[in-house]
Amino acid sequence: MRTVRFLCVFVACLAMAVPVTSAHGAEPESHSRFLTGQFLVAARKMPDPRFGKTVVLITEHDTTGAMGFVINKIFGEGPLSTFLNGFGIKGGSSEETIGLHYGGPVEIGLAAVLHGTDYSDSSTKRISKNLAWSSHRDVFEAIAAGKGPKKRVFILGYSGWAAGQLESELAREDWLTAPADAELIFDKDFDTLWGRILAKAGIKL
């Protein structure tokens, strides 16, 4: 079922699958009140059904707003080569199965790769000491050639908040926060991820 869903979403998004660009013009400010590199964990009472039981990795947060990727929702699974061929890129193993992730409701046809810091190109943005993301065609070509990041998550769409919006949602306790953990992002046990990270946020299930 996940494979069928992967292919349907892939075909639907293919025509508009272009790189994600940063939601903000400047690099995020380094300050304790900003959440870059942190997990947002949906509270049980999350009023927005699009974010029910989601975990979002915040990639940028400053005075102009915030951006992040949902990391525990997956459209489906399919061959790496099928995904890359959609960008006109030959290569990538037809035997390697990848998940195609729902990053959020904004620009759902736009593509990005969340990965470790063993890879970098002109589009790469550092999130933390061991997490980064890239959205240029270069990262897909590198993956096809076997030179891309060893650990990676393929994402369509992202989550975004205008200035002050995320702060308001936090004040309403729609979200909890927890330290980001790269191992949890890349361990592929997505069905239990919300519960496991919620526990790390100090809430008893």
Side-chain angles (χ1 to χ4, degrees), residues 85-98:
N85 286 344
F87 295 95
I89 298 172
K90 301 298 182 182
S93 172
S94 60
E95 297 179 357
E96 180 181 346
T97 298
I98 65 164

Side-chain angles (χ1 to χ4, degrees), residues 16-180:
M16 54 181 177
V18 294
V20 171
T21 55
S22 171
H24 312 296
E27 290 297 316
E29 298 177 39
S30 177
H31 194 286
S32 59
R33 70 188 178 95
F34 297 121
L35 300 175
T36 301
Q38 297 286 304
F39 285 141
L40 280 185
V41 190
R44 288 186 178 277
K45 68 181 188 69
M46 166 59 70
D48 188 337
R50 297 173 301 173
F51 289 106
K53 293 188 176 181
T54 60
V55 178
V56 180
L57 174 66
I58 296 297
T59 60
E60 297 181 32
H61 185 201
D62 57 26
T63 56
T64 67
M67 173 182 173
F69 296 119
V70 174
I71 60 169
N72 66 322
K73 300 293 184 181
I74 187 168
F75 289 122
E77 298 173 338
L80 172 61
S81 58
T82 299
F83 180 72
L84 294 174
N85 286 344
F87 295 95
I89 298 172
K90 301 298 182 182
S93 172
S94 60
E95 297 179 357
E96 180 181 346
T97 298
I98 65 164
L100 191 56
H101 288 247
Y102 167 80
V106 183
E107 303 280 9
I108 197 63
L110 303 188
V113 181
L114 178 62
H115 56 81
T117 53
D118 58 328
Y119 172 84
S120 181
D121 64 37
S122 60
S123 72
T124 301
K125 291 187 175 293
R126 193 77 170 257
I127 302 168
S128 65
K129 65 179 181 180
N130 54 7
L131 285 170
W133 67 279
S134 303
S135 60
H136 194 273
R137 182 182 175 88
D138 287 352
V139 68
F140 300 109
E141 291 181 339
I143 289 169
K147 298 178 181 179
K150 293 180 180 178
K151 294 182 178 181
R152 64 269 180 126
V153 174
F154 296 90
I155 298 172
L156 291 177
Y158 65 91
S159 303
W161 293 264
Q165 183 181 1
L166 179 56
E167 288 80 359
S168 295
E169 293 178 10
L170 287 165
R172 292 198 308 262
E173 298 184 340
D174 295 343
W175 299 99
L176 302 164
T177 62

